[in-house]
Structures are given as C-alpha cells and as structure tokens.
Amino acid sequence: MEISALIIDDEPLARKLISNLLISVSEIEVIGQCKTGQEAICLINELNPDLIFLDIKLKDMTGFDILERISVKAPVVIFVTAFDSYALKAFNFFAFDYLLKPFNEERFYISVKKAIETFNRKESLSLQKKVNDLLDHIQSPDLKSGNNQTKKIPIPLRNKTVFVDPNDILYITASNYYAEIYTEKKKYLLRESMHNLLRQLNSSCFIRIHRSTIINLDFVHELIHSSYGVVDVKMKDSNQFRISKSYKKEFLIKMGLRNEEVSR
C-alpha cells in the first residue's frame, strides 16, 4: 500500500525539489501540492493524506495554523523550515522530524525513512497527541501570526535614512568595504559585510552564490551551463553572475536541481 503525500510550500522551487526527490521513493505517492495555507487545509480535509511536507511559514498563515484548522486526523508531518531557534527547540522536545532549509538529499531521505516507519507502525493515536501537544506549546506571537518577516534594511543617505524592503532586492554585490544593494529602480550603497547582510535576509529567498554576490531567488530568470560544470545565473534585469564552486551545491539544491542535471 502506497503512502499518500501532500507537499505544502509557497516556494515553487521548494515544492519541485521535494517532488523530484520523492520520485525514487516507491512507497510514497504525491497526490497534490499546495502553495497557500487555505489551499492546504482544503486539500488535507478532502484527500486525507497519510503524510505532509509542511512549510512553517506560508504567505497567508503558518504551518501550525494549518494543523489547528484541519478537520481530519493529523497526518504524519515532516516540517520544512528556515527557522533556527524557537520552532526547532519545540520540534526536538516533542520528537518531531524537520528539514532545515537548505537541506541535502541524505538528510531528506533520513526524514522520509522515519516517516515511512511511523506510518507502518500505525502510530496515529500517539501522533495525534504529539501534534496537539506541540500546538499547545507553540505560543510565540511571531510564529502564530506569521509576522516574522525580515525587517526593512536601513540605509543612510546624505541627511536622511531610507528603508529598503528585502522583497524588492534583486541582488547584492560586494565592493571593497561596501555592499551594493540593487532593486529594480535603484542601487544603494551600504557599509556592511556580506555575512552580516545575509543574516538579516530571509534564507528561503536569498542565497550566496559567490564570495561577493548574494541573489534573491525570486528574481532568477535562467541558468546558463558552460563547459566543465560552470554555471552562471541570469537575473530578471539581464545581469549575469558566476556561481562559485564552493556555493554551487547549495544553490542547486535550492533551485530543485541535482549536480548531474547540470553536468550532463
């Protein structure tokens, strides 16, 4: 008997990555994908899946909100998250499995194996209690309301300070002691390290592809594959950047690709 699964994530690339990785898992059949919490609630209630891959932070609600609002028994849950503190402590305490973005294939298949074993042992009652206990434990206003969005970045500009919304940033490049922050309308100069800037940005959208380059995945237009495994990324404004070897694997995982897909 196959295990039915739903993939719930507001990032198309994240959904594609999970779907691609599950192709080789014969025990699991993907019966649907959801990009919003409301869509997920409807599909879970309608299809009653055995397993869900659940992103914690969706645009309209959190993964916890979804679990609170479904009317069917809780499926086996693998949480997919970019959080690195409060939520992870809760998952560890209640023995829930989770995938911390960006995750690699080995870590993914470990989680899938655990989920299959949980399903085969038919531990639905204990799982339901664990879900209820977890939801009771989650009290953080940020997690409950989904208000943990990255704050705007303050940039001093002559005699004033402007605030740049991270969602408007296409990419950031290093220039000596400064970072050049590019939006579709303007370039800003900020005296800040790439490392510190990356810590302020949403890790589900922004990724470092070179020592001197951070890009917003939402503005990627295409990848250009050259000889010897060299990959360049072309952004929506037509600017092109080389992906360095040390950042290539993580980038490909984020884009839902595997090394062999770009090296052939």
Side-chain angles (χ1 to χ4, degrees), residues 60-219:
D60 58 339
M61 66 181 72
T62 71
F64 304 120
D65 294 326
I66 294 172
L67 293 177
E68 285 182 329
R69 298 178 190 181
I70 60 176
S71 57
V72 297
K73 70 176 184 178
V76 175
V77 184
I78 296 178
F79 289 100
V80 183
T81 177
F83 295 141
D84 60 359
S85 56
Y86 182 84
L88 301 192
K89 291 178 182 178
F91 298 155
N92 286 328
F93 183 81
F94 290 99
F96 267 94
D97 198 19
Y98 61 85
L99 293 168
L100 182 61
K101 296 178 179 178
F103 53 84
N104 57 38
E105 292 184 20
E106 180 181 3
R107 180 65 182 85
F108 177 84
Y109 289 125
I110 288 174
S111 293
V112 168
K113 182 180 179 181
K114 290 180 181 178
I116 293 173
E117 290 173 350
T118 298
F119 179 77
N120 289 337
R121 289 196 299 265
K122 300 180 179 179
E123 297 177 342
S124 58
L125 290 178
S126 61
L127 179 64
Q128 182 72 63
K129 183 180 185 305
K130 284 171 64 176
V131 170
N132 292 336
D133 289 343
L134 175 65
L135 295 178
D136 288 341
H137 180 76
I138 298 295
Q139 298 295 332
S140 167
D142 284 343
L143 291 178
K144 294 291 288 181
S145 63
N147 291 328
N148 56 329
Q149 298 294 324
T150 305
K151 296 178 180 178
K152 291 185 177 181
I153 298 175
I155 300 179
L157 189 63
R158 298 186 182 90
N159 63 337
K160 60 183 179 181
T161 300
V162 298
F163 294 88
V164 176
D165 188 334
N167 294 322
D168 295 330
I169 297 174
L170 280 70
Y171 45 82
I172 302 171
T173 60
S175 177
N176 295 322
Y177 296 105
Y178 290 86
E180 295 180 345
I181 301 175
Y182 291 82
T183 67
E184 290 186 289
K185 296 180 179 179
K186 195 170 182 178
K187 179 182 80 171
Y188 299 91
L189 203 62
L190 180 64
R191 191 178 178 90
E192 184 62 275
S193 71
M194 299 291 276
H195 174 74
N196 287 340
L197 272 175
L198 191 60
R199 291 178 60 186
Q200 300 176 50
L201 298 168
N202 188 337
S203 62
S204 65
C205 299
F206 289 88
I207 187 170
R208 197 167 187 171
I209 62 168
H210 190 277
R211 180 175 54 84
S212 61
T213 312
I214 297 170
I215 65 169
N216 186 339
L217 295 176
D218 290 338
F219 292 96

Side-chain angles (χ1 to χ4, degrees), residues 236-253:
K236 287 186 178 179
D237 66 351
S238 295
N239 275 320
Q240 191 169 311
F241 300 98
R242 175 66 45 87
I243 302 171
S244 71
K245 187 177 298 184
S246 57
Y247 294 101
K248 180 180 174 183
K249 182 176 181 180
E250 179 183 353
F251 175 79
L252 294 179
I253 291 174

